[in-house]
């Protein structure tokens, strides 16, 4: 596909806080005097969920402030350009954003219809299992190019003949996955008392199989498989890396929905992910909301059991900002363990129920690689390639790797990685960056490996930190090219 002469020497980078994406838009940095008066809502985080919430609330007439700790808005929609190469640092694919889909309608509203999405002709996924360092088992490659449930079924059976009964059962459940999932959405729109009453009366059990499927993990479901194919459970469920969840915690209902929506077609924004961030942020501001960047929220202020404001830190000074509604899109771990008072966290029944299912502190490294030829010349694929060194259950391997020390992790193979080819998915990439293409490799890491540098300023973490980044980046690239 390509050789080392195609690489540029300036692209070994690791995505972490040092990577500062530059979008085509200017955002105001946080200053106390820039905070609007009489706010109705404060949104913590400007990723897709934060921007969407801010946009809808502002359109409804609420006075909204979005606070983002980084230099630009967008969250996983960040894109940056380095040495003439444009890299997508988070959003690598969109699923089910066609004209007749709910997700497509939501994106059209958020983006004001300004962003078009390029579809593939058929859904494609590729998995590589095994390692050249283990010649006994060899390296196995599985490629799926399907757009209907029936085609998916036949593709799986082509690789794993003899599993007709079980794969047919999965396919049948998959066809009904979207209506089966609807109760999960419906209860979000009902008054709490009514939702709890309907759940208690098992009303949704009568309408759909969602409660039944949601009570089963993929690990439990796939235990029905015969033992003749050791790769099959992993091929069916390769998602823990993206979703940070082990198979014994991944509901069968969610697996069905993920598979079904993926078959309806992966899409990529024409013009790159930065267009999504630009228009989403623009429409939020046009609706009357304010977005302030470099605004690190360090605390959610409470009065009794109610959130009433946030504390923003900038340098050595802090500023309290108040509003009757606080929305945190910073994630469960950060919100409950770092932003809310300990008393609130300890008294939260919801958090106590969720805590056992929360995984080890996880970071995601991305290696960005620039190539000196176009995606067409190098025949780069559209589909992501998921690489596994073993066919052990993905979540189990995930947790074993995160349990290692940093020194131990540097000595072993990275057990799972995904390679994305964003420049191959965007039909306009070559117009913006002629003669170039890129790929990104996505792997996991443990936040605790880097605690010793956490207190140091970004880009000023010292030679040891920089050397570690470079060494880890080279390790990722060497393993991917094997």
């Amino acid at each position: 596909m390509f050789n080392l002469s195609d690489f540029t020497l300036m692209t070994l980078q690791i995505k972490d806080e040092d990577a500062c994406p530059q979008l085509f838009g200017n955002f105001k940095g946080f200053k106390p005097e820039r905070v609007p008066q009489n706010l109705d809502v404060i949104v913590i985080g400007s990723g897709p969920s934060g921007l969407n919430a801010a946009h809808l609330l502002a359109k409804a007439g609420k006075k909204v402030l979005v606070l983002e700790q980084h230099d630009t808005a967008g969250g996983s929609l960040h894109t940056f350009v380095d040495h003439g190469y444009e890299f997508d640092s988070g959003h690598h694919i969109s699923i089910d954003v066609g004209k007749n889909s709910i997700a497509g309608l939501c994106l059209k509203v958020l983006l004001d219809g300004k962003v078009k999405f390029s579809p593939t002709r058929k859904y494609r996924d590729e998995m590589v299992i095994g390692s050249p360092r283990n010649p006994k088992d060899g390296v196995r490659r599985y490629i799926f190019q399907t757009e209907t449930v029936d085609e998916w079924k036949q593709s799986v059976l082509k690789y794993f003949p003899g599993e007709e009964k079980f794969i047919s059962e999965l396919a049948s459940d998959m066809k009904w996955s979207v209506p089966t999932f609807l109760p999960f959405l419906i209860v979000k729109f009902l008054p709490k008392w009514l939702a709890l009453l309907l759940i208690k009366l098992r009303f949704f059990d009568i309408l759909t199989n969602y409660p039944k499927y949601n009570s089963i993990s993929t690990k439990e479901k796939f235990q029905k498989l015969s033992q003749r194919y050791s790769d099959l459970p992993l091929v069916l469920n390769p998602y823990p890396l993206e979703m940070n969840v082990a198979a014994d915690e991944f509901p069968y209902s969610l697996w069905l929905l993920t598979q079904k929506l993926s078959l309806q077609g992966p899409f990529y924004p024409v013009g790159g992910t930065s267009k999504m961030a630009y228009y989403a942020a623009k429409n939020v501001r046009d609706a009357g909301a304010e977005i302030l960047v470099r605004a690190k929220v360090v605390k959610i202020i409470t009065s009794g059991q109610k959130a009433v404001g946030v504390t923003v830190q900038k340098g050595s000074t802090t500023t309290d900002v108040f509003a009757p509604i606080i929305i945190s899109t910073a994630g469960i771990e950060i919100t409950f363990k770092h932003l809310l008072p300990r008393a609130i966290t300890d008294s939260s029944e919801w958090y106590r129920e969720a805590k056992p299912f929360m995984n080890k502190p996880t970071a995601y490294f991305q290696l960005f690689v620039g190539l000196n030829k176009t995606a067409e010349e190098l025949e780069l694929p559209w589909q992501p390639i998921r690489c596994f060194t073993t066919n052990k259950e993905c979540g189990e391997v995930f947790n074993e790797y995160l349990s290692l020390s940093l020194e131990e992790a540097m000595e072993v193979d990275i057990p799972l990685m995904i390679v994305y080819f964003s420049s191959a998915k965007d039909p306009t990439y070559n117009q913006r960056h002629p003669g170039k293409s890129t790929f990104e490799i996505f792997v996991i890491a443990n936040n605790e490996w880097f605690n010793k540098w956490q207190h140091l300023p970004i880009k000023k973490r010292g030679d040891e930190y920089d050397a570690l980044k470079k060494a880890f980046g080279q390790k990722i690239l060497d393993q991917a090219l094997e």
Side-chain angles (χ1 to χ4, degrees), residues 179-285:
T180 296
F181 195 73
L182 285 178
F184 177 80
L185 300 178
I186 292 173
V187 295
K188 301 291 185 180
F189 294 96
L190 299 177
K192 184 177 180 179
W193 68 267
L194 180 56
L196 291 175
L197 177 62
L198 293 176
I199 292 171
K200 185 176 181 179
L201 295 175
R202 297 187 177 275
F203 176 76
F204 296 114
D205 296 46
I206 301 172
L207 294 181
T208 79
N209 286 321
Y210 174 78
K212 173 186 172 183
Y213 292 162
N214 201 50
S215 66
I216 305 170
S217 71
T218 54
K219 185 174 183 178
E220 291 173 297
K221 184 66 178 180
F222 297 160
Q223 282 176 345
K224 296 181 181 179
L225 285 167
S226 69
Q227 300 300 311
R228 65 166 67 97
Y229 299 115
S230 57
D231 284 355
L232 182 51
L234 179 57
V235 170
L236 289 175
N237 187 26
Y239 303 117
L241 180 57
E242 294 107 313
M243 298 189 175
N244 188 18
V245 61
D248 59 350
E249 300 165 359
F250 191 26
Y252 178 54
S253 60
L254 185 56
W255 179 86
L256 290 170
L257 186 70
T258 303
Q259 286 287 105
K260 181 63 167 66
L261 295 182
S262 296
L263 292 175
Q264 293 179 7
F267 297 79
Y268 192 78
V270 177
T273 300
S274 62
K275 287 193 70 173
M276 294 179 67
Y278 173 79
Y279 282 110
K282 180 179 184 299
N283 289 333
V284 167
R285 291 186 290 191

Side-chain angles (χ1 to χ4, degrees), residues 2 44 46 67 77 81 119 128 171 178 241 247 281 292 327 329 343 374 400 403 412 416 426 446:
F2 50 79
I44 304 170
S46 68
L67 297 173
L77 302 179
V81 177
V128 178
V178 175
L241 180 57
L292 297 179
I327 299 175
T329 65
T374 67
E400 286 178 0
S403 297
V412 301
L416 23 115
D426 180 5
N446 192 326

Side-chain angles (χ1 to χ4, degrees), residues 409-442:
M410 291 296 292
E411 296 299 322
V412 301
D413 282 344
I414 300 167
L416 23 115
M417 61 173 63
I418 306 179
V419 186
Y420 293 103
F421 303 89
S422 299
S423 61
K425 292 180 279 192
D426 180 5
T428 66
Y429 187 91
N430 198 44
Q431 299 172 21
R432 299 193 304 279
H433 309 284
K436 291 180 169 59
S437 58
T438 64
F439 66 89
E440 305 87 34
I441 306 176
F442 182 91

Side-chain angles (χ1 to χ4, degrees), residues 1 12 30 51 63 98 152 157 179 196 212 236 247 251 340 380 422:
M1 186 165 63
L12 275 181
F30 179 86
L51 291 177
K63 201 167 186 180
W152 173 86
L157 290 174
L196 291 175
K212 173 186 172 183
L236 289 175
L340 284 168
L380 298 183
S422 299

Side-chain angles (χ1 to χ4, degrees), residues 133-409:
R133 301 178 191 180
N134 185 10
K136 178 182 177 182
D137 296 327
V139 176
R140 290 85 68 199
R141 187 180 298 268
Y142 303 94
I143 300 177
F144 297 95
Q145 185 172 353
T146 58
E147 60 182 4
T148 68
V149 173
D150 289 334
E151 287 180 351
W152 173 86
K153 171 185 167 182
Q154 294 306 317
S155 293
V156 175
L157 290 174
K158 179 183 72 173
Y159 289 113
F160 306 102
E163 296 289 352
E164 174 82 26
K165 181 179 179 181
F166 184 75
I167 300 303
S168 295
E169 181 182 332
L170 295 183
S172 177
D173 291 346
M174 199 185 302
K175 288 180 179 180
W176 289 95
S177 60
V178 175
T180 296
F181 195 73
L182 285 178
F184 177 80
L185 300 178
I186 292 173
V187 295
K188 301 291 185 180
F189 294 96
L190 299 177
K192 184 177 180 179
W193 68 267
L194 180 56
L196 291 175
L197 177 62
L198 293 176
I199 292 171
K200 185 176 181 179
L201 295 175
R202 297 187 177 275
F203 176 76
F204 296 114
D205 296 46
I206 301 172
L207 294 181
T208 79
N209 286 321
Y210 174 78
K212 173 186 172 183
Y213 292 162
N214 201 50
S215 66
I216 305 170
S217 71
T218 54
K219 185 174 183 178
E220 291 173 297
K221 184 66 178 180
F222 297 160
Q223 282 176 345
K224 296 181 181 179
L225 285 167
S226 69
Q227 300 300 311
R228 65 166 67 97
Y229 299 115
S230 57
D231 284 355
L232 182 51
L234 179 57
V235 170
L236 289 175
N237 187 26
Y239 303 117
L241 180 57
E242 294 107 313
M243 298 189 175
N244 188 18
V245 61
D248 59 350
E249 300 165 359
F250 191 26
Y252 178 54
S253 60
L254 185 56
W255 179 86
L256 290 170
L257 186 70
T258 303
Q259 286 287 105
K260 181 63 167 66
L261 295 182
S262 296
L263 292 175
Q264 293 179 7
F267 297 79
Y268 192 78
V270 177
T273 300
S274 62
K275 287 193 70 173
M276 294 179 67
Y278 173 79
Y279 282 110
K282 180 179 184 299
N283 289 333
V284 167
R285 291 186 290 191
D286 288 348
E290 180 63 271
I291 301 173
L292 297 179
V293 299
R294 296 184 291 280
K296 184 177 181 180
V297 175
V298 294
K299 184 173 72 172
I300 295 176
I301 303 169
T302 60
S303 176
Q305 294 290 309
K306 182 175 175 58
V308 296
V310 300
T311 299
V312 179
Q313 182 177 25
K314 188 166 185 180
S316 59
T317 62
T318 60
T319 303
D320 292 340
V321 184
F322 295 94
I325 299 174
I326 310 298
I327 299 175
S328 174
T329 65
I332 298 173
E333 183 82 8
I334 291 176
T335 301
F336 277 89
K337 292 189 69 174
H338 301 284
L339 299 183
L340 284 168
R342 179 67 180 272
I344 297 289
T345 299
D346 290 344
S347 64
S348 171
E349 181 179 349
W350 182 87
Y351 181 70
R352 284 199 303 274
E353 293 177 355
K355 191 174 181 180
F357 299 98
M358 295 171 63
N359 295 313
K360 295 178 182 297
T362 307
Y364 295 96
F365 272 62
Q366 271 185 278
L367 178 70
F368 299 105
V369 181
L371 299 165
N372 296 324
K373 292 182 180 179
T374 67
E376 291 77 13
E377 291 173 321
L378 296 172
E379 298 181 355
L380 298 183
W382 207 102
Q383 76 274 12
I385 302 176
R386 295 181 173 89
C387 305
F388 307 89
T389 59
T390 175
N391 60 15
K392 291 171 63 177
E393 194 274 306
C394 196
E396 179 184 344
V397 176
F398 187 103
N399 289 326
E400 286 178 0
Y401 183 66
L402 293 180
S403 297
L404 299 176
S405 67
L406 175 58
E407 293 73 22
E408 291 170 333

